[in-house]
Amino acid sequence: MARRNKIYEGKAKILYEGPEPGTIVQYFKDDATAFNAVKKDVIEGKGVLNNRLSEFFMTGLNGIGVPTHFLKRLNMREQLVRACEIVPLEVIVRNYAAGSMSKRLGIEEGTMLPRPIVEYCYKDDALGDPLVSEEHIAAFGWASQQEMEDILSLALRVNDYMSGLMYGVGIRLVDFKIEIGRVFDGDFQRLIVADEISPDSCRLWDIESGKKMDKDVFRHDLGDLADAYTEVATRLGVMPKNGNLGDKPTLVN
Ligand code: TMP
Ligand code: ASP
């Protein structure tokens, strides 16, 4: 099989040119990084789990009319997605205080917030993805005013969908990060949810015990990351009880 052209390699994924114009193959690696890649490891099976989980969340979002880049899963580690121009922002939605917000504002982890709070970070690894305000975003032209309204609406719809889905399987969606892409439909430009939605980019706590089931397990050495993600996948019915995620790969070139 002819090897595809690599477009970009990030910390957890590789993007290849897709089989048709306007498509991209997104490959999920087993690499885990934290604190801007200061901490690194390879977690066997993480890529397979995140490929499946991101497929599951994005398919559900597409199904309720929240547009995403997801087209179809190709095999255990790869999915076909729509090519888009990534808005250089990490869009974070928080339902409970945790992580950098708890540190920054001195709010105890797990405190319920009065309403979902949306934050924006400028996507720049060299700068450590700094928190920015809408003033910065407008002044530096990272997104237009109309786009910011659409991004806020997308982020809150993703929050409602994901919170409900997780609540149904006894998991609290504490916070999450999404990325947004611009696509062109004819002359029309619109925004879609891009990148991935997985336990790498969410905080997920067991409602009963408070146990962490997301990348904080790796960040803070709390246990086996693949086991935590497997439990999320099993509860959601993404992974059959026999623990077998395997199926025959479909190859694309
Ligand atoms: P934070 O509390 O560290 O700012 O993280 C907020 C949310 O964003 C949390 O669910 C983890 C996610 N996140 C990413 O997906 N990528 C990142 O690089 C960081 C720092 C956080
Ligand atoms: N995504 C960042 C990294 O890969 C930080 C994090 O998720 O903690 O280093």
Side-chain angles (χ1 to χ4, degrees):
M1 190 186 82
R3 199 53 218 168
R4 290 180 293 253
N5 288 328
K6 192 193 276 192
I7 300 171
Y8 176 79
E9 177 156 2
K11 286 175 284 198
K13 298 186 293 296
I14 307 174
L15 303 181
Y16 297 99
E17 265 175 24
E20 281 155 36
T23 65
I24 282 180
V25 173
Q26 184 166 259
Y27 175 98
F28 287 77
K29 300 194 279 188
D30 279 343
D31 299 15
T33 65
F35 314 117
N36 211 3
V38 169
K39 182 175 165 89
K40 289 186 217 178
D41 204 348
V42 176
I43 311 288
E44 205 182 318
K46 180 174 86 81
V48 174
L49 285 154
N50 281 354
N51 186 27
R52 275 297 186 114
L53 284 163
S54 201
E55 170 195 18
F56 181 72
F57 300 134
M58 298 262 184
T59 302
L61 286 167
N62 285 339
I64 61 160
V66 177
T68 80
H69 73 163
F70 181 81
L71 294 171
K72 69 171 177 176
R73 187 168 54 83
L74 299 170
N75 56 52
M76 284 174 70
R77 288 186 182 274
E78 294 179 324
Q79 50 183 243
L80 191 68
V81 300
R82 280 190 74 168
C84 57
E85 180 184 292
I86 294 286
V87 175
L89 297 173
E90 303 213 324
V91 179
I92 295 168
V93 184
R94 300 181 187 272
N95 298 305
Y96 296 81
S100 67
M101 177 189 240
S102 287
K103 263 210 199 90
R104 204 180 328 116
L105 302 180
I107 305 175
E108 193 186 339
E109 286 228 328
T111 308
M112 189 189 220
L113 299 171
R115 60 177 205 183
I117 295 178
V118 182
E119 294 176 346
Y120 305 99
C121 293
Y122 179 53
K123 257 176 79 66
D124 185 324
D125 277 344
L127 299 175
D129 298 337
L131 184 69
V132 291
S133 74
E134 290 187 57
E135 284 286 300
H136 295 110
I137 297 167
F140 297 122
W142 295 325
S144 70
Q145 194 52 49
Q146 177 62 52
E147 285 178 329
M148 288 311 291
E149 283 174 30
D150 293 346
I151 288 172
L152 179 63
S153 152
L154 281 173
L156 293 175
R157 291 179 74 194
V158 172
N159 186 41
D160 280 349
Y161 175 76
M162 292 290 296
S163 294
L165 195 63
M166 292 300 176
Y167 183 77
V169 295
I171 296 174
R172 171 164 299 149
L173 179 65
V174 173
D175 57 30
F176 65 92
K177 182 267 300 187
I178 50 171
E179 297 190 21
I180 302 289
R182 300 183 178 103
V183 287
F184 295 87
D185 284 329
D187 288 343
F188 221 64
Q189 183 183 296
R190 62 194 185 98
L191 298 179
I192 62 176
V193 178
D195 188 52
E196 70 178 282
I197 303 179
S198 75
D200 269 11
S201 53
C202 300
R203 281 200 176 88
L204 305 170
W205 296 357
D206 180 64
I207 290 177
E208 289 280 309
S209 66
K211 182 179 67 168
K212 293 182 166 65
M213 305 168 80
D214 56 65
K215 205 165 93 175
D216 273 348
V217 170
F218 169 74
R219 290 189 188 98
H220 305 298
D221 300 315
L222 302 176
D224 186 299
L225 192 71
D227 284 353
Y229 289 17
T230 299
E231 184 170 350
V232 174
T234 308
R235 287 203 200 179
L236 290 166
V238 173
M239 187 159 122
K241 285 271 187 290
N242 68 13
N244 183 10
L245 270 174
D247 55 1
K248 287 222 171 66
T250 326
L251 298 176
V252 292
N253 48 50

